[in-house]
Amino acid sequence: MLRSQHFDNATLMCLASYASVLTAFVLIAAKLIAWYLSDSISILASLIDSSLDLLASLVNLLAIRHALQPADKEHRFGHGKAEPLAAVGQSMFIAGSACMLLFQASGRLVNPQPLTAGIELGVAVMLFSMMATVGLLLLQRFVIKKTKSSAIRADSLHYQSDLLVNFSVIIALLLTQFGLIWFDPLMAVFIAVYVLFSAWKILRDAVDLLMDHEISDAERQQITELVLKHPQVKGMHDLRTRRSGTTVFIQLHLELDAAFTLQQAHDISDQVNQEIHTLFDEAEVIIHQDPIIVGN
């Protein structure tokens, strides 16, 4: 059953990755035309953002394909760390694009230029981009819920920012028709700052995974409560957890009656192991049994 679940997760993650790449290709083509006709710096900002989305999505796709490879002799714990490594790369790409955009937008703020054509097309392209992005985000949200993939979550974060970016571009284009030509580069600056913030969040989460950060307190509490519910478990300690790719690694010490035979302790540990697997689609659980003296 676990192998079947792994296959399902792998299929979903690959599907989301291919959808992300395809969406980025389509949006780049549409925004390139709109920028060429309008010469809007805010559309250029959105175009740069989508170009980086494409690059990040391609890195994601390669990383996920590598991360989903089964464990081998050289990588006994699998290849799950490829995902946060890809997320680190994404954050660097995104931050670089934001800095370049800040440089271009600041120049246009000093010397603002009116937009003479292509405004209606620009608005239409941004609306189309928002609809396409919403469709992709709905798919990614479903995949993240099922797989807990850090790479898909990172990909989803900057596509979420795209919604705000595209909406901001629409506002900027509309305001330029009323003579507020400085609003176009100002919006580009706002977009760049927001993209930098998104890059920081992606980098922070990826580093947590690379440094084997504990899973959330809520998940750890769920594990503790589930283990202590077993009627023959007297206690537990030294719970240690980490996440790698779609797999959660869990270690704990189980306190059992010293009068139990080795077989009884083994059976109880197996039961606890199976209960923990109900919390996570994929988990590697290591349980150490500690004998304790129970009453007189």
Side-chain angles (χ1 to χ4, degrees):
M1 180 173 179
L2 286 177
R3 288 183 180 179
S4 175
Q5 181 65 51
H6 178 75
F7 174 78
D8 291 341
N9 286 346
T11 302
L12 287 172
M13 290 167 65
C14 288
L15 174 63
S17 299
Y18 283 119
S20 177
V21 171
L22 178 60
T23 300
F25 264 118
V26 172
L27 296 185
I28 286 172
K31 292 177 182 179
L32 184 61
I33 295 172
W35 170 64
Y36 177 77
L37 293 177
S38 68
D39 194 33
S40 165
I41 191 68
S42 59
I43 291 182
L44 176 61
S46 184
L47 173 60
I48 292 175
D49 187 44
S50 291
S51 300
L52 268 294
D53 285 348
L54 174 60
L55 183 58
S57 295
L58 287 171
V59 172
N60 239 16
L61 179 60
L62 295 175
I64 286 173
R65 289 174 66 90
H66 185 71
L68 290 173
Q69 293 178 9
D72 54 37
K73 288 171 60 177
E74 287 76 28
H75 305 89
R76 298 285 187 175
F77 292 96
H79 302 79
K81 290 295 180 68
E83 284 195 69
L85 281 173
V88 170
Q90 284 185 8
S91 67
M92 297 297 103
F93 292 142
I94 295 169
S97 68
C99 291
M100 182 172 62
L101 179 57
L102 275 173
F103 177 76
Q104 293 189 351
S106 60
R108 190 69 71 89
L109 266 176
V110 175
N111 297 300
Q113 300 175 16
L115 306 182
T116 57
I119 294 178
E120 293 81 5
L121 176 62
V123 171
V125 167
M126 291 302 106
L127 288 173
F128 168 75
S129 299
M130 291 180 71
M131 289 187 292
T133 302
V134 167
L136 177 63
L137 286 173
L138 289 175
L139 173 62
Q140 289 178 328
R141 179 176 296 181
F142 173 76
V143 173
I144 293 168
K145 182 178 179 181
K146 291 289 185 180
T147 67
K148 312 296 185 186
S149 168
S150 61
I152 300 298
R153 183 179 291 107
D155 208 31
S156 181
L157 275 174
H158 55 80
Y159 274 107
Q160 288 175 38
S161 68
D162 280 359
L163 287 178
L164 181 59
V165 168
N166 294 331
F167 180 73
S168 301
V169 172
I170 291 174
I171 299 300
L173 291 175
L174 293 176
L175 288 177
T176 56
Q177 297 187 41
F178 297 97
L180 300 175
I181 59 175
W182 51 268
F183 206 83
D184 183 48
L186 180 64
M187 193 57 66
V189 171
F190 169 75
I191 291 170
V193 172
Y194 189 84
V195 169
L196 275 174
F197 178 70
S198 297
W200 162 247
K201 290 202 300 182
I202 293 171
L203 178 63
R204 181 191 61 195
D205 292 344
V207 169
D208 280 348
L209 288 171
L210 289 171
M211 297 297 292
D212 291 332
H213 193 278
E214 290 280 352
I215 62 177
S216 70
D217 290 340
E219 289 174 314
R220 286 172 54 84
Q221 184 61 31
Q222 281 184 301
I223 295 171
T224 301
E225 291 175 355
L226 195 63
V227 171
L228 296 179
K229 277 175 59 178
H230 194 288
Q232 292 172 301
V233 171
K234 305 305 179 183
M236 62 166 285
H237 59 273
D238 288 349
L239 173 63
R240 296 194 294 172
T241 62
R242 67 183 178 94
R243 195 184 299 273
S244 179
T246 60
T247 304
V248 177
F249 292 87
I250 301 167
Q251 300 179 30
L252 60 92
H253 286 235
L254 205 59
E255 298 173 7
L256 301 173
D257 192 334
F260 286 158
T261 65
L262 177 59
Q263 184 63 54
Q264 288 174 313
H266 180 271
D267 291 342
I268 294 170
S269 295
D270 277 351
Q271 293 166 12
V272 171
N273 192 323
Q274 292 172 9
E275 287 296 318
I276 292 175
H277 273 91
T278 64
L279 295 177
F280 306 97
D281 290 334
E282 296 181 53
E284 292 284 345
V285 184
I286 299 177
I287 298 176
H288 177 80
Q289 299 96 9
D290 282 343
I292 61 171
I293 305 298
V294 180
N296 286 327

